Amino acid sequence: MKISILTLFPKMFEGFLDTSIIKRALALELADIEIIDIRDFSVYKFRHVDDTPYGGGAGMLMQVGPIDRAIKSIDGDPYVLLTSPKARPYTQAKARALAEKEHIAIICGHYEGVDERVSALVDENISIGDYILTGGELASMVIADSIIRLKKEVINPDSLDVESYDDNLLEYPQYTKPYDYNGNKVPDILLSGDHQKIARYRKKMALYETIKYRRDLLKKHRFTAEEKELLRELAEELKR
């Protein structure tokens, strides 16, 4: 998969590209990330790409021209995204859908926003949450990371089998050594060796974590008969 990122601040990506799973994926040629400096497509001597908004108002807007020319410089026919608050919040389901594409381009919005005519150049707006950042660079890294980790051979496939937000549930709690840390012990059932009981316990705890932290996700979840029984058990336990 190839990801082209159009940005005003290419240096922000140096650490991102040279760290951890992303660095490994690039080294193994399992993914390719291209950083494009939008300023290279300015027509002005001092490479500025923004201007004041028509009609007045605070801040500066990114101009449509440099962005248009930057997109046209990309080889191939990428699926083009614009980081913007005018979108539904990003989800794991969206990450999986984007991971199926061969080539995507992400335009990092900045300043007060972008000229509205950029909308005609993109396939989709994308937002990583209901809050405002100074620019789309961090958002583009989040999106790229979430997509690349899903590609075959980037990480152990067993690690992808059960993850938070899959099936609209948070992941169950996990533990490692030591068994006892300052009196806080690992649940004994996880040391029982009874895989059926462990699986049931983990499903129960996934439901509990979701109820505790993200009850809104349960509205989208389709409960099995076993999960309904586990919910009844949790309800009784929470009453005590």
Side-chain angles (χ1 to χ4, degrees), residues 12-13 18 20 28 38 57 68 72 77 83 86 98 104 127 137 149 156 159 195 197 199 203 219 224 239:
M12 286 186 67
F13 295 87
D18 195 39
S20 188
L28 295 175
I38 298 173
D68 186 22
K72 288 175 178 175
D77 184 25
T83 61
K86 298 178 182 179
L98 292 176
I104 67 171
S127 166
E137 282 72 22
R149 67 184 298 279
N156 189 325
S159 298
H195 297 295
K197 287 184 178 179
K203 188 172 291 186
K219 296 176 182 178
T224 64
K239 287 179 183 178

Side-chain angles (χ1 to χ4, degrees), residues 84-145:
S84 168
K86 298 178 182 179
R88 293 178 180 175
Y90 193 59
T91 64
Q92 184 68 10
K94 174 57 70 174
R96 291 189 180 280
L98 292 176
E100 295 297 317
K101 298 187 180 298
E102 291 296 320
H103 187 182
I104 67 171
I106 308 173
I107 304 168
C108 300
H110 225 277
Y111 303 123
E112 188 66 20
V114 301
D115 187 303
E116 181 61 26
R117 289 167 289 187
V118 172
S119 297
L121 308 177
V122 306
D123 296 295
E124 183 177 357
N125 287 357
I126 197 155
S127 166
I128 62 168
D130 294 337
Y131 48 88
I132 305 300
L133 298 171
T134 55
E137 282 72 22
L138 293 175
S140 71
M141 293 181 207
V142 168
I143 296 162
D145 184 283

Side-chain angles (χ1 to χ4, degrees), residues 42-208:
S42 172
V43 296
Y44 300 102
K45 179 179 179 181
F46 296 106
R47 304 176 75 229
H48 76 261
V49 295
D50 62 310
D51 213 324
T52 54
Y54 281 116
M60 304 285 278
L61 294 178
M62 290 177 67
Q63 297 172 310
V64 61
I67 294 174
D68 186 22
R69 292 187 288 274
I71 294 171
K72 288 175 178 175
S73 77
I74 300 171
D75 290 334
D77 184 25
Y79 187 79
V80 182
L81 306 172
L82 170 66
T83 61
S84 168
K86 298 178 182 179
R88 293 178 180 175
Y90 193 59
T91 64
Q92 184 68 10
K94 174 57 70 174
R96 291 189 180 280
L98 292 176
E100 295 297 317
K101 298 187 180 298
E102 291 296 320
H103 187 182
I104 67 171
I106 308 173
I107 304 168
C108 300
H110 225 277
Y111 303 123
E112 188 66 20
V114 301
D115 187 303
E116 181 61 26
R117 289 167 289 187
V118 172
S119 297
L121 308 177
V122 306
D123 296 295
E124 183 177 357
N125 287 357
I126 197 155
S127 166
I128 62 168
D130 294 337
Y131 48 88
I132 305 300
L133 298 171
T134 55
E137 282 72 22
L138 293 175
S140 71
M141 293 181 207
V142 168
I143 296 162
D145 184 283
S146 69
I147 294 169
I148 289 173
R149 67 184 298 279
L150 294 173
K151 301 303 291 183
K152 187 177 179 181
E153 299 182 27
V154 172
I155 62 176
N156 189 325
D158 291 341
S159 298
L160 301 176
D161 283 346
V162 181
E163 294 196 301
S164 291
Y165 304 112
D166 282 341
D167 203 21
N168 294 300
L169 290 178
L170 298 183
E171 192 173 3
Y172 49 78
Q174 300 197 68
Y175 303 85
T176 187
K177 297 179 179 65
Y179 164 71
D180 187 335
Y181 185 75
N182 294 339
N184 192 345
K185 299 178 181 179
V186 175
D188 288 332
I189 192 170
L190 297 177
L191 286 74
S192 68
D194 188 327
H195 297 295
Q196 187 172 356
K197 287 184 178 179
I198 290 172
R200 190 175 191 277
Y201 167 80
R202 284 176 165 171
K203 188 172 291 186
K204 183 177 181 179
M205 293 310 297
L207 288 165
Y208 174 74

Side-chain angles (χ1 to χ4, degrees), residues 205-220:
M205 293 310 297
L207 288 165
Y208 174 74
E209 295 290 287
T210 309
I211 291 169
K212 184 177 180 181
Y213 295 107
R214 288 295 306 275
R215 191 170 294 201
D216 58 298
L217 292 175
L218 296 176
K219 296 176 182 178
K220 306 173 187 176

